[in-house]
Amino acid sequence: MTLPSYLEGSWRTGAGEGTPVADAVTGEIVTRVTSEGLDLAAAVAYARRTGLAALGELTFPQRAAALKAAALALQERKQELYDLSARAGATRRDAAVDVDGGIGTALVYASLARKGLPDHTLIVEDDPIPLGKGGTFAGRHVLTTPRGISLQINAFNFPVWGMLEKLAPALLAGLPTIVKPATPTAYIAAQAVRIIADTLPPGAIQLVAGGIPGLLDLLGGQDHIGFTGSAATAARLRADRAVTRRSARFNAEADSLNCSVLGPDAVPGQPEFDLFADALVTEMTVKAGQKCTAIRRAFVPVQLMDAVSEAVEARLARVVVGAPGAEGVTMGALVGLAQRDDVRAAVARLTGAREAGSIVYGDPHKVEVVGADAERGAFLSPLLLRADDVDRPEPHEVEAFGPVSTLMPYSGIPELHELIARGEGSLAGSVVSHDTDFVRQVVLGAAAHHGRLLVLDRDSAGESTGHGTPMPQLVHGGPGRAGGGEEEGGLRAVHAHLQRTAIQGGPEILDAIVNRDMQTGEQR
Ligand code: NAP
């Protein structure tokens, strides 16, 4: 029953009872997660010794080929991951976001690296920059692989995508990875590692199921820590001495109160009105709203509040909650009962004692469920809230990490900008309007508070990738509350794992240093 960890090239089981992980739909125990007694120091040493050396043997295109092989192995066996994802409450559509999204991300990275990185182990960023009048002294920037590892600590909601979007740039940069998946879905991440382990060089990937006590004590300035999860955990890790004293690179992707804005031009009957309502319902229901990019605050012109509320309620009434795979089900379960308790508590804060908002659709304690028992499984109705008093702090502060969004009115662009800023930094925002001037003003005012902004209108809707979908070619992350980090963004993410060094000297020496043909095998 205990989920093994993949360490030093073999699967090893931790000691003790471990944390039980229940099936999100039936409540049966799926596995137990523990890392007790596992030698994590040996795992770090193995990554530094074996993984770093094996990846260092490969040029960027060779690493890209290994990454592609891993993605294709997953592609071949993705049904196994869908089946496990269903036990975590994910419908086929939800699993596609995680599994296919992850595979697609790895393939995009492999392709970008093959086309955009040199047949080398270092990147030369620029031509020699003259630093003297006589032409005998210059400088240029190179990016090389740190002598470290990449530790990735992931959130529960994307066990496959979250792992691959961090693995891809680390692998391409030549850094061996240790994955620490979130306990509730660690069994899905572990299966993905099982599938890809043999496609990668030895030591390139390891996985710890369970806690990682003492592991950060082993990390320092050559290492990279990529974290995704709650703002509270991000704050704790950011304060670790590995980061504060030894300057391990630390990137955080945390929660955020993402917004979507409806333009005043998008009245009922206009395509943008329907696009807004559809997108909101999609964001509320995909992965039962357990998406870091989901729309939490929906800003609507004050005069359209009732019309939008009715349109969204009508769509939510068509959502069928139940067991993934059961007839007609369009929304699955939350990952577990504890998560449902958290969401209910957040909704109580958003609506409760101090009457910050009201529920206009759904009941947090009651939901009709198809193909499962509503109480044994972690089911929750989609919940549409409405907060007419936009000055209340709760809708701008409380993240209900489930199928929950709040409608809020605005009266003009200055007020809208203020409301957007009150989220204190978000991963993703969207503007739904066909009025170019309105869109321009909103985007320029909102950009500083966002990592990504999507404009949706009748012309782009057909090809639009949607509010909640990070793209490997574009940056994912956000300022402030969203963690202050940046992932993806094409090759930017690879560069972020490398060390940039300015090298100064005579032009010939500079050439000799960066020219692969002049290097011995060992140097390469
Ligand atoms: P979480 O409780 O913060 O956990 C995230 C990860 O941190 C898990 O792997 C957890 O392991 C680990 N962790 C917790 N304490 C740790 C410690 N002291 N040392 C090392 N690792 C530690 O978050 P979650 O509940 O899994 O995820 C939900 C949150 O993530 C939401 O708030 C959501 O908005 C955010 N999120 C953000 C993004 C993004 O891209 N920005 C994506 C997805 C989710 P255990 O599970 O074993 O405790």
Side-chain angles (χ1 to χ4, degrees):
M1 275 302 262
T2 302
L3 184 69
S5 295
Y6 185 63
L7 302 172
E8 300 175 71
S10 64
W11 291 90
R12 299 171 184 190
T13 304
E17 277 213 356
T19 307
V21 176
D23 186 306
V25 179
T26 63
E28 287 164 19
I29 301 300
V30 178
T31 189
R32 291 177 174 275
V33 175
T34 170
S35 60
E36 209 183 302
L38 297 176
D39 190 347
L40 301 185
V44 172
Y46 178 73
R48 289 198 201 291
R49 199 180 52 244
T50 306
L52 201 54
L55 286 167
E57 289 285 309
L58 306 180
T59 63
F60 292 115
Q62 289 170 328
R63 293 173 200 162
L67 179 61
K68 185 172 176 183
L72 295 179
L74 289 167
Q75 181 76 22
E76 189 107 318
R77 293 173 60 182
K78 62 184 179 184
Q79 187 60 44
E80 293 169 31
L81 300 172
Y82 293 158
D83 292 345
L84 291 176
S85 303
R87 304 205 72 183
T91 63
R92 177 67 181 70
R93 171 177 76 154
D94 300 339
V97 178
D98 185 36
V99 177
D100 297 63
I103 294 170
T105 296
L107 288 173
V108 167
Y109 265 99
S111 164
L112 289 174
R114 193 168 44 78
K115 292 182 196 147
L117 293 180
D119 186 21
H120 204 325
T121 55
L122 60 80
I123 296 171
V124 184
E125 282 201 304
D126 39 24
D127 289 330
I129 302 159
L131 296 170
K133 285 194 177 136
T136 63
F137 188 62
R140 65 200 309 187
H141 295 90
V142 299
L143 300 171
T144 60
T145 303
R147 314 303 299 161
I149 70 160
S150 164
L151 169 67
Q152 48 164 276
I153 302 175
N154 291 327
F156 72 79
N157 56 343
F158 286 110
V160 179
W161 174 83
M163 179 171 79
L164 292 174
E165 59 105 20
K166 290 189 178 72
L167 175 69
L171 186 82
L172 292 171
L175 287 182
T177 287
I178 296 181
V179 183
K180 187 261 173 279
T183 294
T185 51
Y187 58 96
I188 305 171
Q191 186 58 21
V193 169
R194 227 174 242 288
I195 294 170
I196 63 176
D198 289 341
T199 65
L200 298 175
I205 192 162
Q206 300 182 78
L207 174 136
V208 184
I212 49 168
L215 200 151
L216 266 65
D217 296 342
L218 305 172
L219 303 187
Q222 295 293 306
D223 302 304
H224 186 281
I225 303 167
F227 170 77
T228 300
S230 64
T233 311
R236 188 177 321 154
L237 295 175
R238 198 194 299 281
D240 192 278
R241 291 160 76 94
V243 181
T244 57
R245 295 289 172 90
R246 298 188 295 280
S247 303
R249 291 166 195 230
F250 180 70
N251 190 76
E253 299 291 317
D255 53 41
S256 67
L257 276 305
N258 311 293
C259 70
S260 183
V261 175
L262 180 69
D265 57 301
V267 296
Q270 294 298 314
E272 285 72 22
F273 182 87
D274 292 318
L275 288 170
F276 181 84
D278 288 342
L280 187 55
V281 171
T282 299
E283 291 302 316
M284 287 175 72
T285 55
V286 172
K287 290 203 67 88
Q290 300 165 111
K291 262 169 58 202
C292 53
T293 50
I295 300 165
R296 304 292 172 205
R297 301 179 299 155
F299 295 124
V300 173
V302 63
Q303 67 280 12
L304 295 179
M305 279 291 278
D306 290 339
V308 169
S309 184
E310 278 163 29
V312 177
E313 287 170 57
R315 285 162 171 79
L316 290 175
R318 295 198 288 270
V319 172
V320 180
V321 179
E327 183 72 29
V329 166
T330 57
M331 189 178 107
L334 299 178
V335 76
L337 296 177
Q339 182 63 20
R340 183 171 67 182
D341 289 345
D342 282 358
V343 177
R344 283 177 175 161
V347 171
R349 285 181 67 197
L350 285 165
T351 57
R354 291 189 287 161
E355 288 165 357
S358 54
I359 299 178
V360 292
Y361 183 90
D363 179 339
H365 298 281
K366 222 169 80 198
V367 60
E368 218 170 282
V369 164
V370 174
D373 181 315
E375 279 316 301
R376 292 175 74 89
F379 296 100
L380 188 68
S381 165
L383 298 164
L384 182 67
L385 315 185
R386 176 174 175 150
D388 287 291
D389 181 358
V390 293
D391 289 334
R392 301 288 309 204
E394 291 86 348
H396 307 288
E397 286 176 9
V398 179
E399 183 200 41
F401 201 58
V404 185
S405 286
T406 303
L407 296 178
M408 279 184 273
Y410 72 89
S411 299
I413 288 181
E415 185 189 17
L416 183 58
H417 283 158
E418 261 177 47
L419 294 174
I420 289 171
R422 288 185 61 187
E424 296 192 349
S426 297
L427 296 167
S430 52
V431 191
V432 189
S433 164
H434 203 233
D435 176 344
T436 306
D437 190 49
F438 175 81
V439 168
R440 189 181 60 81
Q441 290 188 61
V442 175
V443 167
L444 294 181
H449 303 286
H450 287 86
R452 180 168 62 83
L453 284 170
L454 173 122
V455 180
L456 184 61
D457 63 16
R458 64 195 74 177
D459 302 325
S460 64
E463 283 196 320
S464 178
T465 48
H467 169 105
T469 309
M471 300 301 294
Q473 300 89 338
L474 306 179
V475 295
H476 172 59
R481 175 170 180 152
E486 192 174 293
E487 289 181 338
E488 304 204 285
L491 295 177
R492 289 176 185 86
V494 180
H495 293 183
H497 284 76
L498 297 167
Q499 174 62 43
R500 176 174 291 110
T501 308
I503 304 186
Q504 294 171 280
E508 280 168 21
I509 287 288
L510 294 184
D511 259 2
I513 290 169
V514 302
N515 190 338
R516 181 159 198 259
D517 298 336
M518 297 174 73
Q519 291 174 11
T520 64
E522 199 173 275
Q523 286 166 329
R524 282 202 294 272

